[in-house]
Amino acid sequence: MKTASISLGGIEMLLERINELDSAILNVVEDWVYILGFYNTERLNSYLEKGKKNWSSMGLYPFEELVFHNIKTNATIILQQDGVEVARYQYINIDSGVLVYDNVRNKTGKATGAYQIRKEVYSSSWNLKFADSSLIFEEWEDMQSYVLMTYKYDIGEVLLDGEAVTS
């Protein structure tokens, strides 16, 4: 790689950068993370399948603990260790809406919060996103119970590939 084409990021900048990307390959080598960013999943797949040099960005960042539940919806992130793929992440939007819940701090005693429910394509996990938080659940029922207990709001069932989600 040419050093002129590599940006050198700092601590905590890595996760910010990952969350900005539309798709990427992250290669962890010792204490560094090399990033190839792509405009979308299709370009990433074209790079992997046909060898097209169509990345949109390159970066080099000091390693920090990686979490992937804040990546953009539909972005594909491939995690490699020394050039060998170890995991893939992609969240698709399943449902979104606005919760109305009890909140004694407000004059009306009620508050609202927009939420988004996402399914991770390469695992069985679910992601519940609010404006200020993002939570991971291994089972649909766990997420449903959390929302019911915390907000007294039933998110009900959603359809995934035409079938009701149960886990």
Side-chain angles (χ1 to χ4, degrees), residues 3-74:
T3 56
S5 64
I6 299 174
S7 64
L8 184 60
I11 301 298
E12 296 185 15
M13 289 180 62
L14 174 59
L15 287 179
E16 287 177 25
R17 181 65 183 132
I18 292 169
N19 296 336
E20 294 172 350
L21 294 167
D22 294 308
S23 288
I25 298 172
L26 311 177
N27 187 17
V28 178
V29 179
E30 296 178 5
D31 293 333
W32 295 96
V33 179
Y34 295 83
I35 296 179
L36 274 182
F38 297 85
Y39 284 120
N40 53 43
T41 298
E42 291 77 26
R43 293 234 175 143
L44 169 65
N45 288 335
S46 178
Y47 170 79
L48 294 172
E49 294 165 6
K50 299 175 184 165
K52 290 193 175 186
K53 296 181 180 178
N54 58 358
W55 55 83
S56 59
S57 64
M58 298 174 86
L60 177 62
Y61 294 81
F63 180 82
E64 61 185 78
E65 194 63 35
L66 299 171
V67 293
F68 297 100
H69 56 87
N70 285 319
I71 64 174
K72 289 182 178 180
T73 300
N74 297 321

Side-chain angles (χ1 to χ4, degrees), residues 68-71 118 127-137:
F68 297 100
H69 56 87
N70 285 319
I71 64 174
R118 304 186 311 164
N127 177 230
L128 176 63
K129 287 188 77 160
F130 293 101
D132 61 347
S133 65
S134 179
L135 303 168
I136 297 294
F137 298 89

Side-chain angles (χ1 to χ4, degrees), residues 94-151:
I94 299 299
D95 191 30
S96 58
V98 176
L99 297 174
V100 178
Y101 57 95
D102 295 330
N103 187 331
V104 294
R105 291 187 232 167
N106 290 345
K107 287 187 214 178
T108 63
K110 298 281 184 192
T112 61
Y115 70 91
Q116 180 182 26
I117 296 173
R118 304 186 311 164
K119 173 74 175 100
E120 208 286 311
V121 174
Y122 298 102
S123 74
S124 62
S125 66
W126 293 87
N127 177 230
L128 176 63
K129 287 188 77 160
F130 293 101
D132 61 347
S133 65
S134 179
L135 303 168
I136 297 294
F137 298 89
E138 289 305 315
E139 302 289 332
W140 172 265
E141 292 84 3
D142 295 338
M143 181 173 53
Q144 188 178 30
S145 295
Y146 171 82
V147 173
L148 191 58
M149 288 177 46
T150 306
Y151 298 101

